[in-house]
Structures are given as structure tokens and as C-alpha cells.
Amino acid sequence: MNTLRASSTTLRSLNIEFQPCNWASLSDVKFTELRSLQLTLSNPRRPSDCRHANLAEANILLSSTIPIPRFLKSMQHLTNLVLSLHHPSSEITRMAKAYFPALVALDIYTDPNAYSPALNLFIANHPGLRRLHLTSVLSFISQPFQTQHFPELRALKFMVEEANYANGNGLFPFFAPPDLGSAETIRARRPRIEHLSIYNLRNIQPISKYTHPYVNQLRRLDLQILDSGQISQEDLITTLGPFTALVEISVILDGIHERPGFGRRAIEKSIKELQNYLTSLKNCVPLRAIHLYNPSSQPLSSSDLQNLQPVPPALQYVSWGNRFGTTIFRVIHDSASQSAHVEVCEIPPPPREMVYDWTSENTFRHVLNL
């Protein structure tokens, strides 16, 4: 802590996790020059988890008064903020009035017992956000956000509420789907979102509910789907076919899967799965990278992918993942036959930042110069 205190006026990035019982040693440190902060408030499983066990129980009882807003107040140069709250605190209500004039990227993670409507107001205080990630097991239905509230927004990630599948109310994301009125109004008021990441989807069909105003402007699309099998070519064409500006797309199937089959038939099924994605995106001229993950699929080799057609005309890379691992292929186009084949390649991971950045996942932007 002494080292941290000594460098508090020069640090630009900080990733720190603390528990209520050690808050006192941190709360009076002022990090006046921070640009990026990842702050995690966790709950000790037992008093002995704290350094001073004899004080732990008392501090845990006092944890609801942890002055997080006051701690953040000195950080007026913050541009990136990641808040991970896993412990209730009455002080969270004071976040409603917190404001950081330079803030452009915000991620908020909460457990149900740590959520406060004040966080909605805190987010709304920052209409200049360019990157936003919302996650909570409680819904923002009582005060839904609309994308037009954030005219500078370029990247948005949100979770579809799983509870709504069970109660029959349909899908409702924590970030309300756009409702901008007529087509003319949509063109005039929609934000310039270029990257959309949606997770916890039950299947792929509903994505148009969230993406329809942006199909001609999205450059990146990430989908995490709780599906138990391959997505049909018809569904892929219907949902992915309308996108015309994508440069990169990732689709992760993350449901409960049967064990993958073996033998040539299983390999041919996986080849067909990949070809279905390529076919559905064949008219997406700028597309340069596809990231696919299906635990039930088979590993593929370059010899399995020698006559692919149709193929998006500018496609350069395919990342093919399953429970056995991930293989990256470089796509080689044959203009004469209008087909393509692949060769295995390696792409180093992007540089890792101290503060979490969800836009650095499932991307080759560092080699595509995006």
C-alpha cells in the first residue's frame, strides 16, 4: 500500500480489487492523474480472509457505508472506468450525481444485491460515452436507456435478460432496443454505433430486434448464443444476410452441447456449418474476419477446406473454435473459379491492457489495422 500511495499522483492506469475490511487503507489515497481504472469490490467469504482478522467482522458490518463515490471524486481525468460491484453499499446511491468530464468508456458489473437504480442515473450523466457495457441480473425496465441518449456511442455491449425466457415475456435487453419512430427519424437520430455485442441470446433469430437500425453501419458484431446445436443455413441467411458493412463478426454457441461426433461424417457436418456462415455473409463486401466457436463441432484442417464457395470477397481470416481448441485459417481467393481455400496460420493475441477492454476480445483488429 505504501508503494501505491507513493505513486498515486503519477499512475495513469490501475486495476485493483479490495474487500470491505481493507477499505480504510485505500480510501484516503487520491489518484489524481488516473486515466483508466478497474475497481472491484468483493465480499470476503469469511473474516479470516482479511488481513486483520480481529477487525474483519466489524469492518464487514460497516461495509455498506464504503464511500466509493468520494474515492472516485479526485479522478477527474478518467477516460475508462470498469466497476465490478459484488457487495451491497448504501453509498452506491451517491453515484447518481457522480460525473467525470472526460469519461468515454464505461463497464458496470453488478450482483443482484449490489445493484442500485442510482447507477442508471450515473450512466445517464455521461451522454458523451463512446463505449458502454451493461451487465446485471436486474433489469433496467423501470428506466430503460435508448441509444439516442448517447449520440457519441460507437460500441455497445449488453446482456439479454435470461429471466424473461422463463416468464414468457419475450426478450428484453438491459439496454432497450431502439424505438426511434419512422425511417426518416431513425436516419436522423440514430447514433453511429459501429460495434454491437449481444450475449445471453437464447437463439439467433431475435437479433434483428436490436440491430435493425444499424445493419448498414455496423463494422463489428459479436453474438453469444445459448444454443444447443448448429444454426440452420436459413436462419443464418435471414439474420446475417442483411449486414453490408461488417468487417469482423464473432458467433459463440455457448449452451449445453452433446459430445461431438467422430469420423468423416462429423467432419463433413462441421465443414457444412462453416460454409453456411460463409454463404450467409457472401454479400458483405468489407468482411475480413470471422470468429466461430461451437463446442460440438469438429476440428478442421486446411485439407478439409479446399473448395469453399461462395465466400465473402474480402475475407482474410477464419477462426474456427471448438472444445478441442481453436485453429486460425488464412483465406486464399481464386478469382478465376470464384472459390477459396485456406491455410493454417498464427496470429498473436492483441496487447493486453491493465484495465479490461471488451472490444479487444474475438478480434484481429491489431493485424487488420482497424
Side-chain angles (χ1 to χ4, degrees), residues 33 86 281 320 347:
E33 296 301 318
H86 304 292
L281 292 161
W320 179 256
I347 295 181

Side-chain angles (χ1 to χ4, degrees), residues 248-265:
E248 199 165 23
I249 182 173
S250 72
V251 180
I252 296 174
L253 302 185
D254 205 18
I256 300 175
H257 295 263
E258 298 179 356
R259 287 186 173 274
F262 295 95
R264 189 62 199 175
R265 179 175 295 182

Side-chain angles (χ1 to χ4, degrees), residues 72-73 75-76 95-103 122 125-127:
L72 298 175
K73 188 176 181 179
M75 307 175 191
Q76 288 301 296
M95 289 293 293
K97 297 182 179 180
Y99 175 66
F100 302 96
L103 195 66
F122 171 65
N125 285 345
H126 297 85

Side-chain angles (χ1 to χ4, degrees), residues 81-257:
L81 176 61
V82 179
L83 283 178
S84 187
L85 307 174
H86 304 292
H87 195 281
S89 171
S90 60
E91 288 289 316
I92 292 297
T93 59
R94 299 181 185 273
M95 289 293 293
K97 297 182 179 180
Y99 175 66
F100 302 96
L103 195 66
V104 294
L106 177 62
D107 295 42
I108 295 183
Y109 306 80
T110 62
D111 285 348
N113 61 347
Y115 173 78
S116 168
L119 293 174
N120 290 18
L121 297 174
F122 171 65
I123 296 168
N125 285 345
H126 297 85
L129 288 173
R130 296 176 62 88
R131 189 176 81 218
L132 177 61
H133 177 194
L134 302 175
T135 179
S136 170
V137 297
L138 293 182
S139 174
F140 288 109
I141 290 176
S142 61
Q143 189 180 19
F145 295 109
Q146 298 289 343
T147 46
Q148 66 265 31
H149 295 165
F150 302 92
E152 301 302 318
L153 202 61
R154 298 295 180 271
L156 170 64
K157 181 175 183 178
F158 62 84
M159 179 173 71
V160 174
E161 187 179 12
E162 187 174 9
N164 282 331
Y165 294 120
N167 64 26
N169 290 337
L171 301 178
F172 196 100
F174 293 115
F175 197 104
D179 182 14
L180 307 182
S182 66
E184 292 76 13
T185 304
I186 289 175
R187 283 193 292 269
R189 298 179 58 191
R190 71 184 177 206
R192 291 171 288 176
I193 292 178
E194 298 179 346
H195 184 184
L196 198 60
S197 180
I198 310 172
Y199 60 106
N200 218 40
L201 284 160
R202 179 59 60 91
N203 51 60
I204 198 170
Q205 290 94 336
I207 69 166
S208 61
K209 178 178 181 179
Y210 314 117
T211 62
H212 71 89
Y214 314 117
V215 291
N216 295 321
Q217 69 186 55
L218 282 180
R219 291 169 54 81
R220 286 184 61 188
L221 177 64
D222 303 324
L223 303 173
Q224 185 254 349
I225 303 169
L226 305 178
D227 207 320
S228 58
Q230 290 186 7
I231 303 171
S232 71
Q233 184 179 44
E234 180 181 358
D235 285 343
L236 288 174
I237 291 174
T238 300
T239 54
L240 301 183
F243 292 95
T244 60
L246 287 178
V247 177
E248 199 165 23
I249 182 173
S250 72
V251 180
I252 296 174
L253 302 185
D254 205 18
I256 300 175
H257 295 263

